[in-house]
Amino acid sequence: MFGQANVLAAGQAAFPPSVEDFYLPSILPWGAHDSYWFTKITAMVWVAVGILIIFFLATYRKPQLVPTKKQWLAESIYGFVRNNIAVDMIGHRGVRFAPYFTTLFCFVLLTNFFAIVPLFQISPNSHIAFPAILAVISYLMFNYVGIRHHGFVKYFKNSLIPPAPWYILPLLIPIEFFSTFLVRPFSLAVRLFANMFAGHMLLLVFTLGGFAMLSANAWLAPVSVLSWVMTIALTFLEFLVICLQAYVFTVLTASYVQGALADEH
């Protein structure tokens, strides 16, 4: 963001920013100009994976009865997800899904948090590809869990045939299929993507808007300061959105698992 701001201040960039700003060039020296297979976004995903692996391995390498600060933090995160998401949504059977939910929550939270970290300043989840992959993983998991628990025929029977009079089933069955097997993964991915995309665009517009007004006219300097103040305020708002979206994504995944395990849904 600040790199774009410097370019804009030098009069070398167009304003306002566009969707094309999300398609970053390859960071590999041998990558072609239009190669996007290993960009800054991809690097951030691997950085997030590395941070989470190292953090949990380090905190549980030598667990103690009286936990250290790092162990307490890791246990608090796991305990929060296990008790407030897995058990609350699924019941006692939710404990076995707590490791996955914890991993999902931490990964989404950390990759979202990159949106307001200097030098990163964009979330991988502002690209639809990454939320889509996470949604597909959750989609495959809750269907697999439901089929394994009920059996293939009974699971799809429970999913597609609601308790209703027979004469309206031809109308309800397509609705249930569309809602369960198409809308769920789509809405799960789009909700996360749209919030992170919109948040990044807002921060980008107000940051670059300040530089645009400052370079356009000296009389607009006070307004440019107001634009940057709004950027700071929106950063705090974005932090709340970051945490909320990680929680919502995990809760919805847990609710889908709960629905797959229910005898009738």
Side-chain angles (χ1 to χ4, degrees):
M1 183 185 298
F2 291 123
Q4 291 171 309
N6 292 333
V7 172
L8 180 65
Q12 300 173 357
F15 184 83
S18 67
V19 176
E20 293 299 320
D21 295 322
F22 287 80
Y23 296 94
L24 304 178
S26 174
I27 61 176
L28 297 177
W30 57 84
H33 178 70
D34 58 349
S35 174
Y36 300 105
W37 74 275
F38 195 84
T39 66
K40 176 183 176 181
I41 301 292
T42 311
M44 285 193 288
V45 171
W46 285 108
V47 168
V49 171
I51 289 174
L52 292 178
I53 291 175
I54 292 172
F55 172 72
F56 282 102
L57 284 179
T59 53
Y60 281 95
R61 185 179 181 182
K62 295 180 180 179
Q64 301 178 17
L65 184 61
V66 179
T68 62
K69 292 181 179 179
K70 291 186 295 185
Q71 183 182 337
W72 172 84
L73 178 60
E75 290 177 350
S76 297
I77 295 172
Y78 176 78
F80 169 76
V81 176
R82 181 193 62 194
N83 298 328
N84 295 283
I85 298 179
V87 174
D88 280 358
M89 295 297 300
I90 305 175
H92 68 279
R93 293 181 296 185
V95 174
R96 66 191 178 105
F97 300 103
Y100 171 72
F101 293 152
T102 303
T103 304
L104 181 64
F105 175 79
C106 291
F107 179 78
V108 175
L109 181 64
L110 183 56
T111 50
N112 282 355
F113 189 66
F114 285 154
I116 58 175
V117 174
L119 301 181
F120 290 112
Q121 293 173 305
I122 187 172
S123 170
N125 296 318
S126 61
H127 283 247
I128 187 60
F130 293 100
I133 291 297
L134 294 176
V136 167
I137 293 172
S138 296
Y139 172 79
L140 293 176
M141 188 191 74
F142 82 75
N143 280 299
Y144 170 78
V145 167
I147 292 172
R148 184 176 181 181
H149 181 72
H150 296 288
F152 185 86
V153 175
K154 185 179 179 181
Y155 172 68
F156 282 94
K157 179 182 177 182
N158 289 343
S159 300
L160 298 177
I161 305 177
W166 65 269
Y167 50 84
I168 63 172
L169 288 181
L171 176 63
L172 293 181
I173 289 176
I175 294 175
E176 289 292 329
F177 174 81
F178 184 77
S179 172
T180 302
F181 298 104
L182 298 179
V183 172
R184 282 184 177 181
F186 178 78
S187 62
L188 197 61
V190 170
R191 182 182 292 104
L192 177 59
F193 156 72
N195 277 277
M196 300 314 300
F197 180 90
H200 181 75
M201 287 299 291
L202 280 174
L203 292 176
L204 199 60
V205 166
F206 278 97
T207 301
L208 299 185
F211 282 98
M213 288 183 288
L214 187 63
S215 60
N217 194 323
W219 294 100
L220 292 177
V223 184
S224 66
V225 174
L226 178 61
S227 180
W228 293 327
V229 170
M230 283 297 299
T231 302
I232 297 173
L234 287 171
T235 300
F236 285 101
L237 178 62
E238 184 70 0
F239 175 75
L240 296 178
V241 173
I242 285 167
C243 298
L244 180 62
Q245 287 306 311
Y247 177 77
V248 168
F249 195 96
T250 310
V251 165
L252 287 177
T253 300
S255 71
Y256 297 156
V257 173
Q258 187 276 331
L261 293 173
D263 292 329
E264 293 183 357
H265 46 283

